[in-house]
Amino acid sequence: MAHGPVGDPVVTARNLSKLFGDGESAVTALESVDAHIAQGRFTAILGPSGAGKTTLLRCLAGLETPTSGTIILDDEEISLLNQRRLTRLRRERIGLIFQSHNLVPSLSVVENITLPLTLARRPIDTARLDRIVDVVGLRGRLDYRPDELSPEMAQRVASARALLGAPAVVLADEPTGSLGSPAATQILRILRTAVDELEQSVIVATHNADVAAHADTVLFLQDGNIVAEMNQPDRDRLLDALHDLGDTANASIGVGNVEREVSQVEEAWAQPLGARGSARSHTRGNRPHDWDDPGERPRPGRSARDYDAAPHDWDDPGNRPTRPGRRPHRAAGSGGAGADGADRNDPWGYQ
Ligand SMILES: Nc1ncnc2c1ncn2[C@@H]1O[C@H](COP(=O)(O)OP(=O)(O)OP(=O)(O)O)[C@@H](O)[C@H]1O
């Protein structure tokens, strides 16, 4: 069975396309994407650099206007909303987590956690706040300032901030991209707990198979298409699937990400300010594969391969596997403008 509708969706995208620019220089970031995200589950969108993950999340958050297609989030068709209502939807029904924690330096931990509700003039449910503080493990640090926190602790605060308002969905763009492996695992456990114990719907966009392995469902995004789906993934099956997809689409998984800085959390709920120009070539995928159906695998029956032989630290740029025939979308660790001239430090376009 290929990727298709789910029984109780929190987000449904249909025929979603996003083109940047026009004419000769037009870039197709998303092409006729159908995405069905189940309520109360942990969904990972896994794809190489440039696959369209950030664009997809930005469209789902109403931060980017799709060129065509529809998005229904929590029973609301967001393409029909004007900017004011979109901003309200983001404040009230979407929790956002970025690669960089984007904490406001002058506010305490608890003030940062409650800031979105304060900005939205929503009451703070103290019982929920208490619960969230426990889930993220921040008790005893509520009076700290961001500069007194480790990157992991700061990302815990960012996670608590996204979870506090009990949003319909938490959208997280590479939430562990600037953390080492142990810290990344802690953040992913927090998101897992939010799903399992708070029935929170979570969507994480990542290039990293180890991150995606924490999800209930993985949607593989490649060149603006969802090309495969896997339920109850584990790392080996994911690497297997990526290997197959890499063979057919020359994808690159594991290309580095860089720290992003945004000073005011309010900006996260505002419209994107920046514009990025770029160009890339596209190799469109075939119809989606379903890795849960052995008969659907493109090349079944393969056993161990070199690629899987040694454990890799996907958070360590020096330890990323390089595989023949794979072409990185951009150089690992390249900050600032990428080869395509885009501001790669700020995929959300807030700066
Ligand atoms: N505002 C923009 N203007 C022009 N092109 C854009 C813009 N935003 C994204 N793109 C292009 O769309 C494609 C998809 O980009 P996107 O950032 O969504 O991919 P991604 O999978 O999130 O990549 P990464 O993991 O590197 O962040 C890329 O070719 C990118 O250069």
Side-chain angles (χ1 to χ4, degrees), residues 20 27 29 48-55 174 257 260 275-278 280 329-330 340 344:
F20 290 105
V27 174
S49 181
K53 304 181 296 294
T54 294
T55 304
E174 298 281 9
N257 277 269
R260 302 151 182 171
R276 295 178 286 165
S278 72
R280 66 170 178 161
H329 177 70
R330 64 171 184 266
D340 54 9
R344 307 308 313 188

Side-chain angles (χ1 to χ4, degrees), residues 18-21 25-30 47-58 64 99 173-174 205-207 221 224 255-257 260 274-282 329-330 340 342 344 347:
K18 178 66 188 179
L19 270 71
F20 290 105
S25 60
V27 174
T28 305
L30 299 174
S49 181
K53 304 181 296 294
T54 294
T55 304
L56 179 56
L57 282 202
R58 285 175 57 84
E64 204 73 74
Q99 182 172 354
D173 193 9
E174 298 281 9
T206 182
H207 67 284
L221 191 69
V255 175
N257 277 269
R260 302 151 182 171
R276 295 178 286 165
S278 72
R280 66 170 178 161
S281 61
H282 292 276
H329 177 70
R330 64 171 184 266
D340 54 9
R344 307 308 313 188

Side-chain angles (χ1 to χ4, degrees), residues 113-166:
I113 294 173
T114 56
L115 184 58
L117 295 187
T118 308
L119 291 170
R121 296 194 175 82
R122 287 172 61 193
I124 290 156
D125 177 341
T126 49
R128 169 102 183 161
L129 175 60
D130 239 37
R131 180 84 177 94
I132 296 296
V133 166
D134 283 337
V135 166
V136 301
L138 282 172
R139 199 158 294 289
R141 290 190 168 84
L142 295 180
D143 294 332
Y144 284 38
R145 302 275 151 184
D147 64 2
E148 298 174 292
L149 301 173
S150 67
E152 178 199 330
M153 284 297 154
Q155 199 60 319
R156 289 181 187 224
V157 179
S159 304
R161 184 180 59 193
L163 293 166
L164 179 62

Side-chain angles (χ1 to χ4, degrees), residues 96-116 138 141-142 144-162 259-269:
L96 297 169
I97 305 176
F98 308 91
Q99 182 172 354
S100 177
H101 45 72
N102 304 335
L103 302 181
V104 177
S106 59
L107 299 182
S108 68
V109 162
V110 70
E111 287 166 340
N112 267 288
I113 294 173
T114 56
L115 184 58
L138 282 172
R141 290 190 168 84
L142 295 180
Y144 284 38
R145 302 275 151 184
D147 64 2
E148 298 174 292
L149 301 173
S150 67
E152 178 199 330
M153 284 297 154
Q155 199 60 319
R156 289 181 187 224
V157 179
S159 304
R161 184 180 59 193
E259 183 92 22
R260 302 151 182 171
E261 289 301 332
V262 178
S263 61
Q264 294 290 323
V265 67
E266 165 67 347
E267 287 176 312
W269 280 265

